[in-house]
Amino acid sequence: MIIVMHKAATQSQVNHVVARVQQMGCQAFCSQGIEATVIGINNHQHQLNQTVIENLPGVARLMPVSKPYKLASRDFHPADTLISIGDLTIGGNQLTVIGGPCAVEDREQILTTAHAVKAAGAHILRGGAYKPRSSPYAFQGLGEAGLELLALAREETGLPIITEVLDPETVPLVRAYADILQIGARNMQNYSLLHAVGESQHPVLLKRSMMATVEEFLMAAEYILSHGNHQVILCERGIRTYETATRNTFDINAIPVLKEHTHLPVFADPSHATGKRSLVAAIAKAAVAAGADGLAIEVHPQPDAALADGAQSLTPPQFSDLMQQVRRLAVVMQKEIMAPSDSCEPGTF
Amino acid sequence: MIIVMHKAATQSQVNHVVARVQQMGCQAFCSQGIEATVIGINNHQHQLNQTVIENLPGVARLMPVSKPYKLASRDFHPADTLISIGDLTIGGNQLTVIGGPCAVEDREQILTTAHAVKAAGAHILRGGAYKPRSSPYAFQGLGEAGLELLALAREETGLPIITEVLDPETVPLVRAYADILQIGARNMQNYSLLHAVGESQHPVLLKRSMMATVEEFLMAAEYILSHGNHQVILCERGIRTYETATRNTFDINAIPVLKEHTHLPVFADPSHATGKRSLVAAIAKAAVAAGADGLAIEVHPQPDAALADGAQSLTPPQFSDLMQQVRRLAVVMQKEIMAPSDSCEPGTF
Amino acid sequence: MIIVMHKAATQSQVNHVVARVQQMGCQAFCSQGIEATVIGINNHQHQLNQTVIENLPGVARLMPVSKPYKLASRDFHPADTLISIGDLTIGGNQLTVIGGPCAVEDREQILTTAHAVKAAGAHILRGGAYKPRSSPYAFQGLGEAGLELLALAREETGLPIITEVLDPETVPLVRAYADILQIGARNMQNYSLLHAVGESQHPVLLKRSMMATVEEFLMAAEYILSHGNHQVILCERGIRTYETATRNTFDINAIPVLKEHTHLPVFADPSHATGKRSLVAAIAKAAVAAGADGLAIEVHPQPDAALADGAQSLTPPQFSDLMQQVRRLAVVMQKEIMAPSDSCEPGTF
Amino acid sequence: MIIVMHKAATQSQVNHVVARVQQMGCQAFCSQGIEATVIGINNHQHQLNQTVIENLPGVARLMPVSKPYKLASRDFHPADTLISIGDLTIGGNQLTVIGGPCAVEDREQILTTAHAVKAAGAHILRGGAYKPRSSPYAFQGLGEAGLELLALAREETGLPIITEVLDPETVPLVRAYADILQIGARNMQNYSLLHAVGESQHPVLLKRSMMATVEEFLMAAEYILSHGNHQVILCERGIRTYETATRNTFDINAIPVLKEHTHLPVFADPSHATGKRSLVAAIAKAAVAAGADGLAIEVHPQPDAALADGAQSLTPPQFSDLMQQVRRLAVVMQKEIMAPSDSCEPGTF
């Protein structure tokens, strides 16, 4: 932390600031320049009350030096975090693809999709049982019946499953079924939920809020990590901007930025990022080329009849075609992508 | 709902769309123009699966005609909603002021502030017992001990109290203490929580998310209203934009827009809207001049020592000075503002 | 300017940075903290090449201490700038209102509007002769014929006139007719144009770009001021955000922020800020309550038939009604607003 | 164009709207639904005064059906536009790379860079002679001396040159030196300048404004095309959002969106998109994977000493390494990338 004093601050104001900083148990390092006096602070134990300091006479402003997150930072953990789900490894030089519908609708829909995405080479099956919807009048998901159908699809295909959890109370139930818990974008700063999945000690995929900065995204991951759960996958899914040509603006910059700052695997969701089927393949490939560790893609056997997000879902043939392109790209990017045949056998979960 | 067909759509594609719309139980009204054929739809019972329609051959796009919210709309309920808290009325021609600290810190802090804001003419006392913080390492609030201190402050001053609730489980506890439940900006789309406060049948102040559109804000209110709880106050507190000169960008336009579209009372929070003490009074006055029904203002006896949001908190004398300006403004705006002496007596809650 | 070194920077890296800074003719002040070493720089003559420094080994980042603008700053010129246009004074405790159509369309339209806004109490007449339009196929303004009609309206009513200038070549022509040159939002960073109006030594109203930060807005003003033209009025007209309920998001915070940082008069344009007639009065009043020195409001005798911006133009009776409200508000805000009868006589310009 | 009437609009209001539309020379097609009456309009000759219609009694709102641009649209010109610069072809299945410094600084800097980018395989040399700078106190470029140095670099390397033009007056001079005229992001809506480069009949690279929608970007291109100049290259360079981790947010979605809507070549500028050297390669590759027709990359022999944009400039070895990765990626994307040896010979321009 650095304190910048006003140009016109007196020596006695500087001395007073230094004294207050020391009272709070921090060390102060004073540097008197021509433009302004600057005071460096050692604030390792977070004892500094910034508001007090900001409002002392003569203080112009405070500027942070260290990052506010620790456990999520590469400074703390330089090597890539690897997450194991059965035989599958996420992170490092692996490229992992999640496929499946926005929402589990019925037995036939989820089983058809599960077999299709497995055949195309996906590694994980997605599907929502609890759906956050902006209208109280819209389809809210099948609930536990949806979880049971996902478990059935895993049994039939051997694909691990990921599904969203909406509130702390439901965490134990969803954890009992799912291999990975998903935190949706709207819940990225639902701290009670982050606390609960942190304590679950279960793999978590955390989606970036459409309004969060990269730093806030990492702080949300820090909430989970701070409860001892280190199996966190980050997922960029587009942010809200003034542009209305697409559902969201995919923040492709965030992928290399996150890879620089954190050891956690970074996935991309080109379906929500664009909201439009015809754009999904281009953005999926862009994400891989930018260094993403994985993709989450919406696939539906009949997008026209989907209860949610049909406009952005690929058909199984479109998904299969994309998987072939992604495999060619993985070679150029020096990433390994587990082949369909290597994939987890039925019944291993 | 209106369906716009592609310029090159064939007559048989148009016929197919009309047939599918009718299969879904809706009526279709076809209009063949030169630029494009347009099909109007009667979708009163929400039977239309928009995704199916959007993806039929020949369809260019769908355009909504009606608003997606009903209960929150002035179309449904033209007169202003009035909310009664003891002797206090919120909404209509009343101007209501909430004052108090960001967080309840200790007995002396909250009692001092409560007496000060009451003396200055505030009508409601605010104070957080459960704090949503972006860092897991920051002060998270006193919890139930904070609720008890708020109740004590109400007993001493007669001011009704408002405090934030963070998750569905805590709603019954907070409801037992607070006169108004606050939903914070980060939880505006936490549907489990909206459901729980909807069922509480207790007055709710809903803050706009920093990324929500006005329509999404009204849809969040609709979630609460749809559970039969009609005592909802909306609060604009600034949105996230590219501008970094202030903590948020206060969306002053939203105030007259909301007053046009909804019958619910509309408050403003100039403290979070600016993040800076020296700007609070200007924005508070602007909100009243734009037609706000109330203000929520952070006040702290020693902002320099505040555990949260000190930089944006007014001192009691600053708050008292602002209240005098607000009272003069209320006259010009033809609003009534309950005088300090009229205010709720000790023990009446 | 402050240089923050990496945590792991060596002493020889620190020494190298200090040596480079001194080679550039600046003084360096070194402070070795526990978290990081910090080097303060005196960069009065702008000799420091920041990019060089940023990329030296061991440098984490640079942080500015001073503001990048000088002439526009209250540090440089603490008292409010007053601008005289004939008998009219802009700035200080004066509240000034500009009224008129978006575009000059014909003789009758501009004369009718001029008489109407004068009767209602406006101080300055606006009207575009050169219109920047996003489509090459839209009405581009009457050009010099429009300027002549504006001059005729001034002759008839005595109101000074303001009109937009689009490129450096047209500055002398527009200057010959107009009392105030307007720089539109899209040209806020058209540096050739800023240079030209700077050299014109004529009063300028500079509109904030819909994407500019407050700091960039002040830097654009600095361009004009740096050519010796100190008669600059700033005008906030709304910024671009994700919100689509209104044409722009009026940044009301910018008004008190600008008043803190600069001595130049600050106006507000509630017509462009909202894009909707029914919202204009609320935002006009909010701007005055927030401390604006003036308003620019679109008025058209028949908004339904306007060639541009009809949807946001007030009718003369609506404008007259708003002026009465603004006058009552001016009293509360302790601003003087020149009465219609005091206003500049015909022929004095 | 579609007119949506209010739910409560009377038949005589509908008839009145139809009559006014017909008076304006357009055809009206009326459709009476249950939710609302909708009127379709044929507005081929742009005779419709939308503001008049919007304000007629009973009208709820207008909704456009056709795109506002014509010449830039794939509807008008389905095949990709190819632009020839000497032996070089831009667009179609060609991948083209522009490399060079932000600003031309001196003879040695530009010649060194030109030889380096040519050796690495770049096809075009960039360098600014006229620089738009947000501060009036910053380096503004060498002017015509810079153009002469660029021409010298072309003579020595055979690389065509691109450079920015800032105002209409300078277009003839810059056109006399440059193979491609660049319009910078801040000037994307400088209509006088668009007009001038349109009339120049010279190839133009148009950068997207940091605040422009995709539609506004295409409208700006339409301005140039409407003056008969069809040699326009679009360049996405990042938009302004709330995110501060990078200089801009690169709108990767815009690449496939533009490729769908327009026949013009689409380039990407990963240097401005990120503002940070370490992110440039990831975003360059992402742009190619998303379908970009070209890249514009800042290269400087000594970024640490650059007069502008040093922090985002690659060194020649970094650029050479990126070119190798881009060539491998081009194979996967089925794009041809002209080999260094094929490149335009010295003296051919």
Side-chain angles (χ1 to χ4, degrees), chain A residues 49 51-52 54-55 71 132-137 140 166-169 186-187 189-192 210-213 216 219 222-223 226 240 277 303-306 310-311, chain B residues 49 51-52 54-55 71 132-137 140 166-169 186 189-192 210-213 216 219 222-223 226 240 277 303-307 310-311:
Chain A
N49 185 326
T51 309
V52 174
E54 256 166 19
N55 288 285
L71 307 176
R133 299 301 293 270
S134 56
S135 168
Y137 310 121
Q140 314 275 329
L166 290 184
D167 43 43
E169 305 95 279
R186 289 188 186 85
N187 278 319
Q189 292 188 314
N190 180 337
Y191 300 120
S192 303
M210 70 173 80
M211 68 159 170
T213 61
E216 288 166 344
M219 289 304 287
E222 187 85 4
Y223 255 92
S226 71
R240 180 163 272 182
R277 190 178 307 144
D304 293 358
Chain B
N49 184 325
T51 308
V52 174
E54 256 167 18
N55 287 286
L71 308 176
R133 300 301 292 272
S134 56
S135 168
Y137 310 121
Q140 313 274 330
L166 290 185
D167 44 42
E169 306 96 280
R186 289 187 187 86
Q189 292 188 313
N190 180 338
Y191 300 120
S192 304
M210 70 174 79
M211 69 160 168
T213 61
E216 288 167 344
M219 289 303 288
E222 187 84 5
Y223 255 92
S226 72
R240 178 164 274 184
R277 190 179 306 143
D304 294 357
L307 293 180

Side-chain angles (χ1 to χ4, degrees), chain C residues 52 137 192 222-223 304, chain D residues 52 133 137 167 211 222 304:
Chain C
V52 174
Y137 310 122
S192 304
E222 187 84 5
Y223 255 92
D304 294 358
Chain D
V52 174
R133 300 302 293 271
Y137 310 121
D167 44 42
M211 68 160 168
E222 187 84 4
D304 294 359

